[in-house]
Amino acid sequence: DAKTTQPNSMESNEEEPVHLPCNHSTISGTDYIHWYRQLPSQGPEYVIHGLTSNVNNRMASLAIAEDRKSSTLILHRATLRDAAVYYCIPPNQAGTALIFGKGTTLSVSS
Amino acid sequence: DTGVSQNPRHKITKRGQNVTFRCDPISEHNRLYWYRQTLGQGPEFLTYFQNEAQLEKSRLLSDRFSAERPKGSFSTLEIQRTEQGDSAMYLCASSFSGGGAFFGQGTRLTVV
């Protein structure tokens, strides 16, 4: 399976942009790269997914490196409600299941 | 569509008993996933269906766990002879092929 590396934690101030990096240098397969987040005491929530080029939706933007070995989730203006654990999930050669790692805990201060 | 629905929301059972959980995915989603999550940990993959076919099953899943999706719609997860270590939140998610997965609220299992 693709080895995923994310920072354990990151901090941001409200209203500032946040760039959450993910390294998946051993990526294999041609399936999508997914990002999810989990707010305290809630189930995981889909954020965004992409294949090769950058993707935007109402929640975030996803920048994918040309070689697909890394990706960055971009929150354009962090709010207190964005404080959560963010999971990057690259495709894995073993199959198409979504395998969660440890994620990055994002703290947002006012 | 009201999203992914899981029942029951909470289950308390005695050690050694069998339990069954149900997941109703978003209509027409062909993929369905089961996860287990304990406090402070990320969701742990258990198994995954595409339509009615169980395509992947975690090596960590013991023989006491079984899942079905008989008609490619709802799914059940059964745990036989429950142990205290099975206490966790059990999460179900569904998606279209290649799409983002949407999670239910989970079933919290407590084994006493």
Side-chain angles (χ1 to χ4, degrees):
Chain A
D1 290 348
K3 177 175 167 53
T4 305
T5 303
Q6 295 182 257
N8 289 332
S9 62
M10 291 184 64
E11 296 180 354
S12 175
N13 294 319
E14 224 178 349
E15 304 292 315
E16 289 184 355
V18 181
H19 291 235
L20 296 159
C22 181
N23 183 292
H24 29 82
S25 58
T26 59
I27 192 171
S28 59
T30 56
D31 214 335
Y32 290 86
I33 297 164
H34 289 247
W35 281 78
Y36 291 79
R37 71 180 185 181
Q38 190 166 20
L39 279 64
S41 302
Q42 294 192 26
E45 175 185 28
Y46 165 76
V47 176
I48 199 167
H49 71 295
L51 198 56
T52 54
S53 57
N54 297 346
V55 184
N56 301 290
N57 67 18
R58 65 176 178 81
M59 289 181 69
S61 295
L62 177 60
I64 300 172
E66 195 170 333
D67 61 5
R68 291 186 16 110
K69 293 183 182 300
S70 66
S71 59
T72 301
L73 180 71
I74 303 165
L75 306 179
H76 294 286
R77 291 179 63 192
T79 70
L80 296 178
R81 290 173 295 177
D82 291 323
V85 180
Y86 286 80
Y87 297 98
C88 158
I89 307 179
N92 68 87
Q93 193 170 18
T96 52
L98 298 171
I99 307 297
F100 287 75
K102 296 185 184 302
T104 297
T105 300
L106 175 66
S107 303
V108 181
S109 303
S110 58
Chain B
D1 198 331
T2 58
V4 178
S5 177
Q6 292 189 245
N7 288 287
R9 293 291 306 278
H10 302 274
K11 178 71 177 179
I12 300 174
T13 190
K14 291 184 178 179
R15 190 172 48 190
Q17 298 294 305
N18 299 343
V19 294
T20 299
F21 309 142
R22 177 179 170 122
C23 173
D24 287 274
I26 293 173
S27 299
E28 299 178 353
H29 274 185
N30 59 343
R31 291 185 177 178
L32 187 148
Y33 307 81
W34 283 99
Y35 294 87
R36 176 173 63 190
Q37 187 170 27
T38 53
L39 196 63
Q41 303 296 315
E44 176 188 17
F45 169 72
L46 295 179
T47 190
Y48 149 63
F49 292 84
Q50 179 140 319
N51 299 313
E52 66 276 8
Q54 187 174 18
L55 296 189
E56 292 179 50
K57 187 174 176 180
S58 169
R59 291 189 294 271
L60 300 175
L61 209 61
S62 76
D63 292 341
R64 296 185 298 107
F65 287 72
S66 63
E68 293 182 341
R69 195 183 183 197
K71 297 183 179 179
S73 56
F74 74 92
S75 175
T76 57
L77 176 69
E78 181 183 17
I79 308 174
Q80 295 181 326
R81 304 181 303 280
T82 53
E83 302 172 356
Q84 286 191 321
D86 297 332
S87 295
M89 177 72 82
Y90 289 83
L91 296 162
C92 175
S94 70
S95 75
F96 290 115
S97 296
F102 293 86
F103 283 77
Q105 292 297 305
T107 295
R108 180 167 297 283
L109 173 66
T110 302
V111 182
V112 298

